[in-house]
Amino acid sequence: MPTLLRLEDSLERVRAGLERRARRISGRVGEELAAHVGRPGKMLRARFCLLLSQALGVDSNKAESAARAMELVHNASLLHDDCVDSAETRRGVPTPNAVYGSTVALLLGDLAFSQGLEEAIDISPSAPQLLVTTVREMTVGELQEEFLKGDLELSVDSYMGIAARKTGALFEWAGSVLSELSPFPHERADPPRLACAAGILLQIVDDIHDYTLPESVTGKDPGADLANRRVTLPAILALQSPAHRAKFLALWESADAAAIARFLKDEGFVDRTRAKGRELVDSMLSLCGHLPCKPEAAELRLFIEIMARREF
């Protein structure tokens, strides 16, 4: 069966599995609350996981469990993030913290993580242990981002390190687990490196979207990073430019999100951020060339390009 047809079949089974998990807990917490635990979003993590698994020749049942675990742990992080940020919308609908309050939303996040851990138990003996370590790294990344909020001296390297923990760690977990499960010879360090880079790329693209896409497309509050005083990559690049630093600082003090977004776009810092993402993509495409199943690796390369260029 062609790779993309197998992918869509696998994605359907991942969605069905998430729905089963929601039904399983709905009798205890109610259907409305349970739906938030396993509700799929863009499914970018699941797609990447499944395509990487195919490029490594991993059993589809194990790969689908890994994809579900990624989606559940990601949902847990979003439920918690929305409480931290006091976000009112996510994926175009009111957030649980806006509807039920932060206490309920945080507990739903804990429930989502426990469901993801259950999926990991079915994959391999090391998968749940690695997932616990992964959630620790994600939390450290979130804490670092919180402590560095408003830090106008944040470096590109520090930003990349935070992204590697906050977003890349969950991808890296999938890469490590799938690499271990692959029956074919390959460099074991390559899949986790490739996967972590995919997570960082996702963060870079999302940071660009905070300045470029309307709420009707992103499904969340516009200018959320600016409103929460997060210094993301476009702003870091502007601050590092001697010719633009003073102007950016003045706009930052004004807290005018629309003016800051226009400045970063007009002065080319959004495009420079895209160029940084392109550097990452090129390194990822090179790693894809080392994966054992070549036709499937070619499909993964195409998906990486879509991730980099997406406008959703």
Side-chain angles (χ1 to χ4, degrees):
M1 184 185 296
T3 303
L4 291 180
L5 287 179
R6 281 190 287 140
L7 173 65
E8 293 306 320
D9 287 345
S10 280
L11 279 171
E12 189 54 44
R13 288 191 291 271
V14 170
R15 291 190 187 96
L18 293 172
E19 291 172 1
R20 282 195 302 273
R21 286 202 166 273
R23 286 197 300 272
R24 195 178 304 165
I25 60 174
S26 63
R28 306 185 70 183
V29 302
E31 290 184 12
E32 192 172 343
L33 289 180
H36 291 287
V37 171
R39 178 173 291 159
K42 302 182 185 80
M43 299 283 281
L44 292 173
R45 287 160 181 79
R47 285 179 182 275
F48 179 87
C49 178
L50 294 171
L51 284 167
L52 179 59
S53 75
Q54 292 177 3
L56 289 165
V58 173
D59 173 76
S60 61
N61 290 327
K62 299 287 187 181
E64 288 158 18
S65 286
R68 280 191 292 273
M70 287 188 80
E71 290 294 325
L72 288 160
V73 173
H74 177 53
N75 275 355
S77 72
L78 294 182
L79 286 160
H80 287 176
D81 285 353
D82 287 342
C83 292
V84 171
D85 295 340
S86 299
E88 296 186 356
T89 60
R90 168 77 66 175
R91 297 168 180 167
V93 298
T95 57
N97 54 286
V99 177
Y100 310 109
S102 293
T103 300
V104 171
L106 288 169
L107 293 171
L108 286 173
D110 294 343
L111 191 55
F113 169 63
S114 71
Q115 295 288 294
L117 194 57
E118 283 187 7
E119 285 285 352
I121 290 169
D122 293 335
I123 299 170
S124 71
S126 64
Q129 181 180 350
L130 286 172
L131 189 57
V132 171
T133 302
T134 293
V135 173
R136 181 195 68 201
E137 289 303 301
M138 292 170 68
T139 306
V140 168
E142 293 280 3
L143 282 169
Q144 289 175 331
E145 185 178 65
E146 185 67 18
F147 285 130
L148 292 170
K149 190 180 291 184
D151 184 349
L152 300 177
E153 303 304 324
L154 190 66
S155 68
V156 172
D157 285 345
S158 294
Y159 167 90
M160 292 293 186
I162 292 169
R165 296 178 184 91
K166 177 187 167 187
T167 313
L170 186 55
F171 280 81
E172 186 174 4
W173 170 80
S176 297
V177 168
L178 296 173
S179 182
E180 182 183 280
L181 292 172
S182 174
F184 298 115
H186 66 282
E187 179 56 55
R188 296 288 171 177
D190 282 350
R193 284 174 57 206
L194 168 61
C196 184
I200 297 172
L201 176 64
L202 201 67
Q203 185 65 62
I204 290 173
V205 173
D206 280 347
D207 289 347
I208 291 171
H209 289 172
D210 196 55
Y211 296 108
T212 60
L213 295 186
E215 182 182 4
S216 60
V217 176
T218 62
K220 60 183 180 179
D221 301 333
D225 290 329
L226 292 173
N228 287 292
R229 308 307 276 172
R230 289 200 181 97
V231 184
T232 55
L233 191 52
I236 292 171
L237 296 175
L239 286 162
Q240 290 182 345
S241 168
H244 298 88
R245 181 179 172 88
K247 175 65 174 175
F248 180 82
L249 288 173
L251 289 169
W252 181 263
E253 288 301 316
S254 74
D256 186 336
I260 293 173
R262 282 196 303 273
F263 172 81
L264 292 172
K265 286 186 283 187
D266 292 347
E267 298 300 327
F269 293 107
V270 169
D271 286 338
R272 292 189 200 182
T273 302
R274 288 195 178 98
K276 286 285 185 184
R278 186 68 235 177
E279 292 173 10
L280 201 58
V281 167
D282 290 342
S283 70
M284 293 167 67
L285 297 181
S286 176
L287 287 170
C288 285
H290 303 157
L291 297 175
C293 303
K294 300 307 179 185
E296 290 79 4
E299 295 294 344
L300 178 59
R301 288 168 63 96
L302 288 175
F303 182 66
I304 289 168
E305 292 284 6
I306 290 169
M307 285 179 67
R309 298 172 183 171
R310 67 186 175 90
E311 292 290 329
F312 57 90

